[in-house]
Amino acid sequence: MHVLTSGQRGIWFAQSLNPERTYYNLAQYIELRGAVDPSAFAEAIRRTIGEIPALRSVFATTADGPKQFFAADICWELPCIDLTTEDDPHRAAVEWMQIDKDKVFDLERGPPFRYALFKIAERTFYWYEANHHIINDVLGASLVDRRVAAHYRQLV
């Protein structure tokens, strides 16, 4: 188990004061143009999760305060949602993402992230990602995105 950084401790205690609030959920989506292989994309994310311990973070309350540990593996599946038959696929995706963004992360069970892949049109996809700020920020998310892209390029 690892001691939390001072920034993580502040987020942990603020979240514990308002456990049903989602102030610290960071979410975005990236539009992907072209053919996307959902299986390869999911594998690219899995490989990235395997490389980045923060994405496998689980937190625990101990007598000495909150601690962080890194799970060896996370049971996780990428939801692949085909919205091409919707009247407004973009709006349907954004509504889904907003509902998801407003869900509380269970930091003691993990994972501290959620991803989904939406098919908007034949050659248009949205990759949605949500992270709890205790494990990532906007800059860190962009680095994760780059690793996923690198793995995906290798796979296809």
Side-chain angles (χ1 to χ4, degrees), residues 33-50:
R33 296 280 179 145
V36 174
D37 177 339
S39 296
F41 197 79
E43 179 59 25
I45 294 172
R46 272 190 205 87
R47 289 181 183 189
T48 302
I49 291 167

Side-chain angles (χ1 to χ4, degrees), residues 2-156:
H2 303 275
V3 175
L4 274 60
T5 66
S6 60
Q8 285 178 311
R9 286 179 64 83
I11 292 169
W12 175 267
F13 288 120
Q15 183 75 65
S16 66
L17 291 173
N18 295 294
E20 64 285 337
R21 297 291 187 178
T22 57
Y23 301 132
Y24 296 104
N25 290 8
L26 305 175
Q28 69 174 356
Y29 74 90
I30 298 170
E31 184 173 330
L32 308 171
R33 296 280 179 145
V36 174
D37 177 339
S39 296
F41 197 79
E43 179 59 25
I45 294 172
R46 272 190 205 87
R47 289 181 183 189
T48 302
I49 291 167
E51 291 176 345
I52 302 174
L55 295 175
R56 298 187 317 276
S57 293
V58 182
F59 297 85
T61 303
T62 72
D64 298 324
K67 302 285 185 193
Q68 177 180 21
F69 64 94
F70 307 110
D73 191 24
I74 289 187
C75 182
W76 167 84
E77 294 296 323
L78 177 68
C80 296
I81 303 163
D82 186 341
L83 298 174
T84 56
T85 61
E86 295 286 327
D87 289 337
D88 187 343
H90 169 78
R91 190 181 93 242
V94 169
E95 286 174 358
W96 189 100
M97 290 183 247
Q98 185 60 52
I99 290 167
D100 183 79
K101 181 187 175 291
D102 292 337
K103 292 179 183 174
V104 175
F105 282 99
D106 183 343
L107 297 176
E108 293 191 3
R109 293 200 175 133
F113 65 83
R114 292 189 292 266
Y115 302 123
L117 183 65
F118 295 91
K119 184 174 183 178
I120 303 303
E122 189 57 38
R123 298 181 59 80
T124 304
F125 294 79
Y126 293 167
W127 174 30
Y128 166 76
E129 54 186 314
N131 295 279
H132 194 285
H133 190 49
I134 201 165
I135 61 109
N136 214 343
D137 59 16
V138 175
L139 175 60
S142 71
L143 298 173
V144 169
D145 299 345
R146 289 177 187 199
R147 285 304 297 153
V148 169
H151 283 302
Y152 184 74
R153 283 191 300 272
Q154 288 175 341
L155 289 164
V156 296

